Amino acid sequence: MGDTSGLGEPTLEEQIAAYQREFQDLDPQVEKIVNALSRLNRRMNVAYGRQTAELGITNADWEVLKALVLSGAPYRMGPGDLAKRLGLTPAAMTHRIDRMVTEGLVDRERDETNRVRVIVELTSAGREKWLEAMRLATVFEEDLLQDLAPDERVMLGEVLTRLLRRVEHAQPDAGGRLSDLD
Amino acid sequence: MGDTSGLGEPTLEEQIAAYQREFQDLDPQVEKIVNALSRLNRRMNVAYGRQTAELGITNADWEVLKALVLSGAPYRMGPGDLAKRLGLTPAAMTHRIDRMVTEGLVDRERDETNRVRVIVELTSAGREKWLEAMRLATVFEEDLLQDLAPDERVMLGEVLTRLLRRVEHAQPDAGGRLSDLD
DNA sequence: AAGCTAAAGTTCGATGCTAAAGACTACATA
DNA sequence: TATGTAGTCTTTAGCATCGAACTTTAGCTT
């Protein structure tokens, strides 16, 4: 008992209560924050996934496009750098690029100055896809934060970056195999 | 150039600047919050992954143990319910349970009252693993929030649950195939 | 009671990932 | 110039996942 919707997921409050029932020495305030962060992130990823699907690409594609665009003009990176940036193995990057080349989102060519290197370059179609995805994403994000007053937004941003600084300092960029960048 | 550490990841500030450079009509405040949320979550998952690895289990195992424990004594669920709870297909659940049975974390038996059903039950070893994982997790979580004053914690919890309520109301539990529960 | 329908779980084929091995290129050194 | 060495990408083998087909069981319907 206690499950609100069928079995999909208990409410956050129910879940915290269950944690307290099964584990002593638990700070409900901490658990509330941490679990809300996780859930929020999952919901955001679901939303992004819907939007990219709507555009005919995958979240995986979107990540690559994002990395290329954010690298700045002329929107070129090597597969190895892309892999590091996205937290993938180079092997996975090879296949991902294979697919994206056939989809026309990026071009792959050999670096003529160093023929062991490969250059992945954003196509104009790829850049356009990224822009469309960004338009959808920003609408969703603005809607998500709609209920927050301006000063709450400032405060939230400040607190989150403080947490981030703490955890990034603690684990100074260990090759985190847990994708889902930014 | 702007990249702080090799290529692993730009700082949050650098990234926001890149977004603004490549995309007009962007609210940096919103983007800061959203990107901080994503990064924070990824770092947390990396940390949890290290801890579970330390205990000789995977994050996948941990999710299943969590669902079983939080379901309350006698810590039994069907594979289908577990799959819904974790956002997996029943097929994936079958294999995951196979592995966890051989690891001694759960037992699998047929339901005698309805022989098409299967019951997955937490073993005492499984419960003990979950408790150990929780001990590690709570230490990490408390450390993460260490710099937050009590009133900041209250505020953060309140704001996050407000965001969560908004997004959960918007997508009322669509079978989000994006794992990483709670 | 026989057969239909729905539900639960497993099996099958394909995809994407990792880790490790392999192939190729550039650069340094002798 | 020959060769070792490091770096970059690709290939291979193994594993987890998904979507869909399949098997088994329970409960209805007639």
Side-chain angles (χ1 to χ4, degrees):
Chain A
M1 301 307 139
D3 239 342
T4 294
S5 62
L7 262 155
E9 197 170 28
T11 67
L12 185 57
E13 289 73 23
E14 287 166 345
Q15 177 139 3
I16 304 293
Y19 271 117
Q20 288 187 284
R21 187 188 66 228
E22 300 294 336
F23 190 82
Q24 295 70 7
D25 305 333
L26 190 79
D27 184 336
Q29 186 70 49
V30 169
E31 217 57 24
K32 181 178 177 182
I33 292 172
V34 168
N35 283 277
L37 276 173
S38 277
R39 289 190 183 212
L40 204 42
N41 208 263
R42 188 159 47 87
R43 295 289 185 166
M44 284 169 46
N45 285 337
V46 170
Y48 291 141
R50 286 193 189 149
Q51 295 179 345
T52 51
E54 210 171 299
L55 298 177
I57 63 178
T58 65
N59 266 353
D61 292 334
W62 190 36
E63 286 178 11
V64 176
L65 297 180
K66 200 179 341 186
L68 284 169
V69 169
L70 293 186
S71 77
Y75 309 123
R76 297 161 156 237
M77 293 180 74
D81 295 339
L82 275 170
K84 279 195 202 95
R85 181 72 189 69
L86 301 188
L88 298 177
T89 60
M93 209 59 229
T94 294
H95 300 307
R96 208 180 262 203
I97 293 169
D98 285 346
R99 184 165 37 74
M100 292 183 69
V101 167
T102 71
E103 292 168 343
L105 298 172
V106 300
D107 283 337
R108 168 161 42 190
E109 50 191 271
R110 298 213 83 87
D111 183 342
E112 288 308 326
T113 72
N114 184 340
R115 301 185 35 72
V116 79
R117 283 210 174 101
V118 169
I119 296 178
V120 179
E121 177 170 353
L122 197 60
T123 64
S124 57
R127 182 158 184 280
E128 191 49 49
K129 278 290 179 196
W130 181 80
L131 286 170
E132 291 177 30
M134 274 300 282
R135 282 190 273 270
L136 293 181
T138 51
V139 168
F140 163 74
E141 292 162 0
E142 182 52 54
D143 179 75
L144 173 66
L145 302 187
Q146 190 180 345
D147 296 340
L148 265 53
D151 62 317
E152 285 180 317
R153 297 186 184 201
V154 172
M155 206 280 321
L156 182 57
E158 191 278 322
V159 167
L160 290 179
T161 52
R162 203 181 333 150
L163 293 183
L164 195 56
R165 193 153 28 242
R166 177 162 191 85
V167 74
E168 281 181 344
H169 186 263
Q171 7 168 301
D173 214 325
R177 271 307 95 90
L178 266 253
S179 72
D180 252 42
L181 257 311
D182 318 299
Chain B
M1 290 313 238
D3 239 343
T4 294
S5 62
L7 264 156
E9 198 170 29
T11 67
L12 185 57
E13 289 73 22
E14 287 166 345
Q15 177 138 5
I16 305 293
Y19 270 117
Q20 289 188 285
R21 187 188 65 227
E22 301 294 336
F23 190 81
Q24 295 70 7
D25 305 332
L26 191 78
D27 184 337
Q29 186 70 48
V30 169
E31 217 57 25
K32 181 177 178 184
I33 292 172
V34 168
N35 283 277
L37 275 173
S38 277
R39 288 191 182 211
L40 203 43
N41 209 261
R42 188 160 46 89
R43 295 289 186 168
M44 285 169 47
N45 285 337
V46 169
Y48 292 142
R50 285 193 190 150
Q51 294 177 344
T52 50
E54 210 171 297
L55 298 178
I57 63 177
T58 66
N59 267 354
D61 292 334
W62 190 36
E63 286 178 11
V64 176
L65 297 180
K66 201 179 340 183
L68 284 168
V69 169
L70 293 186
S71 77
Y75 309 123
R76 297 161 156 235
M77 292 179 75
D81 295 338
L82 275 170
K84 280 197 201 94
R85 183 73 189 71
L86 301 188
L88 298 177
T89 60
M93 209 60 228
T94 293
H95 299 307
R96 208 181 263 203
I97 293 169
D98 285 346
R99 183 166 38 74
M100 293 182 69
V101 167
T102 71
E103 292 168 344
L105 297 172
V106 299
D107 282 338
R108 168 159 46 188
E109 51 192 88
R110 298 211 83 85
D111 182 342
E112 288 308 326
T113 72
N114 184 341
R115 299 183 35 73
V116 79
R117 282 212 172 98
V118 169
I119 296 177
V120 179
E121 178 171 352
L122 196 62
T123 64
S124 57
R127 184 159 184 279
E128 191 50 49
K129 277 290 179 197
W130 181 79
L131 286 169
E132 291 176 30
M134 275 300 282
R135 282 190 274 270
L136 293 180
T138 51
V139 169
F140 163 74
E141 292 161 359
E142 182 52 54
D143 179 75
L144 173 66
L145 302 187
Q146 190 180 345
D147 296 340
L148 264 53
D151 62 317
E152 285 180 316
R153 296 186 185 203
V154 172
M155 205 283 321
L156 182 56
E158 192 278 324
V159 167
L160 290 179
T161 52
R162 200 176 343 144
L163 293 183
L164 194 57
R165 193 152 28 241
R166 178 162 191 82
V167 74
E168 281 181 344
H169 186 264
Q171 12 171 292
D173 213 324
R177 272 307 94 92
L178 266 256
S179 72
D180 252 41
L181 258 311
D182 319 295

